[in-house]
């Protein structure tokens, strides 16, 4: 708890490897009970990058937390990704 977590995203075209500027990124952090505890979104920069940093609450329950990531870019199919991380005391 109280440690920083950071999500770094780079959006690129799988066929050309070119980065995608202004892709919409939507992230939801869910706790061990699958309750959304952080919501944040934004657009990728000119290099296709997006990042967000947050602090784990000092009262966070230990266990597996999930980051759900949705990416939407004009001309592409939406993409959804889910990753987990572990909070310990």
């Amino acid at each position: 708890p109280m440690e920083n977590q950071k999500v770094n995203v780079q959006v690129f075209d799988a066929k050309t490897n070119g980065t995608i500027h202004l892709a919409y990124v939507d992230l939801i952090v869910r706790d061990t009970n699958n309750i959304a505890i952080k919501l944040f979104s934004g657009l990728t920069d000119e290099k296709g990058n997006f990042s967000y940093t947050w602090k784990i609450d000092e009262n966070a329950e230990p266990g597996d937390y999930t980051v759900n990531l949705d990416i939407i870019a004009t001309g592409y199919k939406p993409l959804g990704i889910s990753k987990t991380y572990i909070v310990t005391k």
Side-chain angles (χ1 to χ4, degrees):
M2 297 304 293
E3 292 183 17
N4 284 335
Q5 293 294 309
K6 185 173 187 177
V7 173
N8 292 311
V9 177
Q10 184 175 49
V11 181
F12 61 93
D13 184 301
K15 291 180 183 174
T16 67
N17 268 351
T19 58
I20 300 175
H21 178 233
L22 297 177
Y24 178 76
V25 180
D26 188 29
L27 289 114
I28 301 172
V29 179
R30 296 184 181 278
D31 68 9
T32 58
N33 298 311
N34 204 32
I35 296 171
I37 57 170
K38 295 282 183 194
L39 305 167
F40 41 93
S41 59
L43 298 172
T44 57
D45 65 15
E46 63 280 349
K47 294 180 181 176
N49 296 316
F50 173 83
S51 68
Y52 185 80
T53 303
W54 72 96
K55 252 190 210 310
I56 297 174
D57 187 87
E58 64 184 56
N59 298 319
E61 291 183 40
D64 292 345
Y65 284 62
T66 305
V67 176
N68 298 109
L69 170 69
D70 291 308
I71 302 169
I72 300 170
T74 302
Y76 296 89
K77 285 197 256 182
L79 176 65
I81 300 169
S82 182
K83 297 287 182 181
T84 59
Y85 66 96
I86 299 172
V87 171
T88 61
K89 288 249 177 194

